[in-house]
Amino acid sequence: MTAVAEETHGTQPRPAVPAFSIVPLRGLSFVALAIAGVIAAIASNELWALNFFHVVGGGLWTGIDLFVGFVVGPIIGRMSIPARIEFSTRFMPKMLLLIPTLVTMTLASGFQLARKSGYLDTSYPRHGWIVASFIVVGVMATIALTYLEPANLAVLFELKKPQPDGRVIDKLMKRFVYTAGITGAMQVATLVCMTRLAS
Amino acid sequence: MTERRLPPVTEVAAASMVLVIVAVIYLASYLPRRAPLGVAVGLLVASAVLFGVNLMLLARVRDFAWWRFFQVGRWALLAYLVIAGMIEYAFVYDRTRGSVLVVMTLLLVMFAANVPVILAFTVARFQAPRPAAER
């Protein structure tokens, strides 16, 4: 592992940043596999496959959001700056691929599942819960695409600089963790909608 | 800190995207019946206007890391075109046709255009106006 040597830059020591790739290229094969699987599930309209991608994707998405927002986030907040940077260089590139893939998996298979099962039909007795889940997902998508993902990406580009600014990283990481917490809390609303549909 | 005062590009793009999301939820809540398109078209037009305003706001920014903006924007656009393509495929597969498909497709275009702007702008605002090699 190569690291930028710690030097004094003005009054602030330059943090050591391990070498990392913004987009982990090896992970792209898993993303392609997951996306191909979802396309195959939609094309075949196979109930088990649609259920599989929706439940696996949704479970992981919900769990990771809650875990990052309420367990990992507060821990990162108490770490020293060098530890926070080292953690970010290993954690954030993975999140950059993982979360959008899980979201795409969950929503694409979920929509198709709802359509196939007749849940989208306005005559379905619990149609209101379906619309409620659309609204919750819409709010989560807005927060995630406007603040969470951009903060994730911006942190990685800041860490790639020869002299990363600790304050920028701190600000962006706080934004990432807070928005992960908000979407995590909103996942509870999704769980309520989904369990109402399943009961 | 390298951040400076810039126009509210993220906020305007978010508003544009919210209009798209509301329009999609509105159309989807009527399925399998056909929703009245007036509301959805109105939301689509409002979203497109906000997107245009955003491009104008961006065009007026001086001394900005455009090199990074376009680098991130290109790749993000590619990624979101793939996602939008998947959603479009699902619409066509589910036999969405005619004017509903046109409105849905244009809503997807707005979605796929707004997200790269937000990502590219957020990254570029913390970057130097010129690449290190040129400085």
Side-chain angles (χ1 to χ4, degrees), chain A residues 35 38-39 42-45 100 104 108 111-112 115 120-122 127 131 134-135 138-139 141-142 145-147 149-151 153-154 157-158 161 165 167-168 171-172 175, chain B residues 1-3 10-11 14 17-18 21 25 28-33 68 71-72 80 82-83 86 89-91 93-96 111 115 118-119 122-123 125-128 132:
Chain A
I35 298 294
V38 175
I39 292 172
I42 293 172
S44 66
N45 232 358
T104 309
F111 189 83
Q112 196 62 21
R115 188 163 182 115
L120 289 181
D121 202 317
T122 40
H127 182 74
V131 177
F134 286 167
I135 294 168
V139 174
T142 307
L145 294 171
T146 309
Y147 293 105
E149 275 300 308
L153 200 57
F157 275 94
E158 186 63 34
K161 284 181 182 173
D165 188 331
R167 288 167 299 178
V168 170
K171 178 185 167 164
L172 290 168
R175 190 196 288 187
Chain B
M1 189 142 55
T2 48
E3 197 179 10
T10 300
E11 289 76 7
M17 223 161 56
V18 165
I21 290 169
I25 292 172
S29 66
Y30 274 86
L31 286 171
R33 288 182 300 124
R68 188 65 93 192
Q71 183 198 32
V72 174
Y80 280 88
V82 171
I83 292 172
M86 267 188 69
Y89 162 73
F91 289 157
Y93 180 81
D94 287 332
R95 296 186 190 84
T96 308
F111 165 77
V115 179
I118 296 173
L119 288 170
T122 306
V123 171
R125 69 183 304 161
F126 297 107
Q127 302 287 316

Side-chain angles (χ1 to χ4, degrees), chain B residues 92-115:
Chain B
V92 174
Y93 180 81
D94 287 332
R95 296 186 190 84
T96 308
R97 296 281 183 272
S99 48
V100 175
L101 182 63
V102 172
V103 174
M104 284 286 210
T105 305
L106 291 174
L107 287 167
L108 274 180
V109 169
M110 291 313 305
F111 165 77
N114 270 308
V115 179

